[in-house]
């Protein structure tokens, strides 16, 4: 089955630790995205990548980093510089273009203690 | 700057009632697309529909229908004869510059 995998579903970390969230897709999509969702809020874009080895900051990139070494993978690192990292993180992918629908993974709920 | 407003934070209905979710958008682009997504309690967003700015025809898919009015910058979503399985958060989104701008979502609760 084609789709997007995010693991784990729930992640706990101590304050001050970096943590990497994984996102893998087998849809053969060139574009991938990371969003953050907080209670009662919409989705806010963290980073996006239209092609391998290239990525751009979204609206709330501070405290986060990404890499795009493979088409299938777009891991997100939440660094200790992110002041409020506890949130629900969603990864998405799409065929490249300005107006294409994005397909989402199941999400990772990160809790920083 | 692009903006999507979903003024209804929460809606509660009884099963079989019709319900309309409102979406108002702002953009300076002449070509854009509008989307609706459903987020059930499991958390994964499910794509429902994409409409382009040049097509104002209403669309119907089963119990779902969408009304796009460019004159009022609105893209409203109606569920006819709602069911408990329709309970979810629904997001409206607007495309532009290779990314989507989402509204804050409307939590729909359908009670039996």
């Amino acid at each position: 089955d084609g789709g997007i995998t995010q693991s784990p579903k729930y992640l706990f970390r101590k304050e001050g630790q970096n943590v990497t969230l994984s996102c893998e897709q087998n849809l053969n999509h060139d574009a991938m995205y990371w969003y953050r969702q907080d209670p009662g809020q919409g989705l806010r874009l963290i980073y996006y990548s239209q092609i391998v080895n290239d990525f751009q900051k979204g609206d709330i990139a501070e405290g986060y980093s990404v890499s795009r070494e493979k088409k299938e993978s777009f891991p997100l690192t939440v660094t200790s510089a992110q002041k409020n990292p506890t949130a629900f993180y969603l990864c998405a992918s799409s065929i490249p273009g300005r107006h294409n629908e994005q397909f989402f993974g199941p999400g990772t709920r990160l809790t920083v203690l | 700057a692009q903006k999507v407003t979903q003024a209804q934070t929460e809606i509660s209905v009884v099963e079989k009632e019709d319900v309309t979710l409102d979406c108002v958008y702002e953009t300076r682009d002449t070509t854009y697309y509008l989307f609706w997504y459903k987020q059930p309690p499991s958390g994964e967003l499910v794509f429902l529909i994409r409409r382009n700015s040049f097509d104002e025809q209403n669309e119907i898919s089963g119990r779902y229908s969408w009304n796009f009015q460019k004159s009022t910058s609105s893209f409203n979503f109606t569920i006819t004869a709602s069911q408990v399985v329709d309970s979810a958060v629904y997001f409206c989104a607007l495309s532009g510059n290779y990314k989507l701008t989402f509204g804050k979502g409307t939590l729909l609760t359908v009670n039996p």
Side-chain angles (χ1 to χ4, degrees):
Chain A
D1 286 334
I4 301 175
T5 303
Q6 291 184 247
S7 60
K9 180 72 173 175
Y10 300 95
L11 191 54
F12 297 88
R13 280 295 181 271
K14 291 184 179 179
E15 194 172 347
Q17 290 182 334
N18 291 354
V19 59
T20 297
L21 281 58
S22 75
C23 177
E24 304 277 335
Q25 55 98 0
N26 61 3
L27 299 168
N28 201 31
H29 287 166
D30 285 301
M32 296 187 75
Y33 311 81
W34 274 106
Y35 293 89
R36 170 183 172 136
Q37 185 180 17
D38 296 285
Q41 302 292 316
L43 277 67
R44 293 184 291 168
L45 184 64
I46 305 172
Y47 269 97
Y48 62 106
S49 168
Q50 292 292 309
I51 199 166
V52 174
N53 293 322
D54 187 42
F55 50 82
Q56 287 76 41
K57 292 182 180 180
D59 300 318
I60 56 166
E62 185 175 350
Y64 299 97
S65 66
V66 293
S67 63
R68 188 82 190 278
E69 297 176 1
K70 297 188 300 181
K71 186 175 183 177
E72 302 80 17
S73 178
F74 192 38
L76 173 74
T77 297
V78 184
T79 75
S80 56
Q82 168 49 235
K83 294 178 182 175
N84 189 15
T86 294
F88 188 52
Y89 291 88
L90 285 155
C91 178
S93 71
S94 73
I95 59 176
R98 295 174 63 90
H99 305 293
N100 294 312
E101 62 268 31
Q102 296 175 16
F103 297 91
F104 285 80
T108 292
R109 190 166 299 279
L110 173 65
T111 302
V112 176
L113 307 171
Chain B
Q2 301 202 321
K3 187 177 178 181
V4 175
T5 302
Q6 295 180 253
Q8 304 150 309
T9 305
E10 296 185 34
I11 300 176
S12 182
V13 299
V14 177
E15 207 169 16
K16 297 185 183 178
E17 281 187 35
D18 298 347
V19 58
T20 295
L21 309 181
D22 298 333
C23 173
V24 174
Y25 63 92
E26 295 176 29
T27 181
R28 294 182 180 178
D29 293 345
T30 54
T31 300
Y32 53 89
Y33 281 71
L34 294 158
F35 303 79
W36 276 95
Y37 285 85
K38 175 182 180 179
Q39 186 179 39
S42 61
E44 182 172 343
L45 265 74
V46 177
F47 166 74
L48 296 178
I49 190 171
R50 178 181 79 148
R51 298 303 301 274
N52 75 58
S53 52
F54 298 105
D55 183 2
E56 290 193 66
Q57 271 195 316
N58 290 339
E59 181 152 343
I60 299 174
S61 176
R63 297 184 297 107
Y64 294 171
S65 62
W66 291 269
N67 179 265
F68 176 30
Q69 291 195 345
K70 214 167 177 178
S71 60
T72 57
S73 297
S74 65
F75 186 45
N76 297 336
F77 174 30
T78 297
I79 302 175
T80 304
S82 60
Q83 299 177 1
V84 172
V85 293
D86 295 327
S87 297
V89 180
Y90 290 86
F91 290 99
C92 181
L94 169 67
S95 71
N97 200 22
Y98 300 96
K99 54 185 181 177
L100 297 181
T101 299
F102 285 84
K104 292 189 175 181
T106 298
L107 172 61
L108 174 64
T109 302
V110 182
N111 299 296

